[in-house]
């Protein structure tokens, strides 16, 4: 509801969302959770939202796992629990790039226990190979920082360059270097800055 062909009607949205949620449909559970989380057409209740996301988690829904993890990390609607959040992200990681990269970051910096940078690499690389730009940038960061053992600027540079040439929103980024700002605007300036530094200093290969 709210698209151009249908007038926005939160009451109807809630009605149909609840019908689906009562049937245990993950998409409907998430939809209803959003309504409670943001107070769209209902009194905002983060606690109810978290409960609905948990029901989605029980159905094996990766997106519900990610949202529940965010609430656990922020302590919204539930007590803050980084360990539990990491477990949810790890469960969702094989199915969702953003969960893999976020779990990888937590493992690298030990945000929920001991540091496991090599495990982070193993978690993120499959998504980088599938052309998830966020994962590709993370691979560049991890190799540049030496989280794979010692700094490997050749691999770091290769991942940054691949990230800059991966299609964004299903549109191929042109080879023209002047068009790379599209990536920078979408994913931040880090890969652009890092490549600039590498080219300037001849790090990771010939200039």
């Amino acid at each position: 509801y709210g698209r151009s062909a249908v007038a926005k009607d939160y009451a109807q949205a809630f009605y149909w969302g609840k019908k689906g949620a009562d049937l245990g449909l993950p998409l409907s559970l998430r939809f209803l959770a959003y309504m409670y989380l943001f107070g769209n057409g209902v009194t905002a209740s983060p606690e109810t939202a978290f409960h609905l996301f948990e029901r989605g988690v029980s159905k094996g829904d990766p997106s519900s796992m990610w949202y529940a993890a965010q609430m656990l990390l922020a302590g919204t609607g539930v007590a803050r629990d980084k360990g539990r959040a990491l477990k949810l992200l790890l469960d969702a990681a094989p199915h969702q790039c953003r969960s893999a990269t976020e779990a990888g970051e937590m493992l690298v910096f030990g945000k929920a226990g001991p540091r496991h940078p090599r495990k982070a690499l193993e978690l993120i690389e499959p998504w980088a190979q599938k052309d998830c730009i966020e994962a590709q940038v993370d691979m560049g960061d991890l190799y540049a920082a030496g989280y794979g053992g010692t700094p490997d600027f050749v691999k770091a540079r290769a991942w940054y360059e691949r990230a800059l040439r991966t299609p964004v929103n299903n549109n191929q980024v042109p080879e023209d270097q002047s068009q790379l700002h599209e990536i920078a605007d979408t994913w931040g300036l880090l890969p652009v800055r890092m490549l600039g530094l590498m080219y300037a200093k001849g790090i990771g290969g010939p200039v």
Side-chain angles (χ1 to χ4, degrees):
Y1 277 83
R3 304 256 175 152
S4 58
V6 182
K8 183 180 292 186
D9 188 331
Y10 283 129
Q12 284 292 314
F14 183 85
Y15 174 81
W16 289 108
K18 190 173 185 308
K19 272 191 171 294
D22 289 343
L23 293 172
L25 303 179
L27 181 60
S28 296
L29 288 165
R30 271 191 281 125
F31 177 76
L32 212 58
Y34 300 151
M35 294 189 75
Y36 277 109
L37 184 60
F38 301 109
N40 292 333
V42 296
T43 301
S45 174
E47 294 79 11
T48 301
F50 183 77
H51 172 68
L52 288 163
F53 283 132
E54 276 196 311
R55 287 178 59 192
V57 168
S58 71
K59 301 290 183 181
D61 179 43
S63 292
S64 293
M65 295 175 192
W66 186 85
Y67 277 102
Q70 303 313 301
M71 297 184 76
L72 284 161
L73 289 170
T76 302
V78 64
R80 184 175 285 126
D81 189 333
K82 292 182 179 180
R84 191 177 168 195
L86 176 57
K87 184 181 183 307
L88 285 169
L89 292 171
L90 289 170
D91 287 344
H95 312 285
Q96 193 180 66
C97 181
R98 63 178 176 178
S99 289
T101 56
E102 190 161 356
E105 179 183 341
M106 293 183 74
L107 290 169
V108 166
F109 296 107
K111 292 184 177 180
R115 295 185 175 190
H116 292 290
R118 288 188 179 278
K119 185 174 180 180
L121 278 168
E122 294 170 1
L123 197 66
I124 295 169
E125 185 169 10
W127 285 105
Q129 297 290 0
K130 293 177 183 177
D131 286 340
C132 172
I133 296 177
E134 185 177 358
Q136 292 170 340
V137 172
D138 281 356
M139 290 295 290
D141 295 347
L142 290 168
Y143 278 116
Y147 287 118
T150 57
D152 189 330
F153 294 110
V154 173
K155 288 183 178 178
R157 176 168 155 177
W159 278 115
Y160 287 136
E161 289 181 335
R162 182 167 171 177
L164 290 172
R165 289 170 175 79
T166 293
V168 178
N169 297 327
N170 298 319
N171 295 315
Q172 179 65 48
V173 179
E175 288 297 316
D176 182 357
Q177 298 292 304
S178 66
Q179 299 299 309
L180 295 181
H181 64 80
E182 182 178 353
I183 297 287
D185 289 344
T186 304
W187 293 102
L189 292 171
L190 179 61
V192 177
R193 289 172 178 165
M194 289 299 291
L195 276 174
L197 177 64
M198 287 177 154
Y199 277 113
K201 294 183 177 292
I203 299 173
V207 178

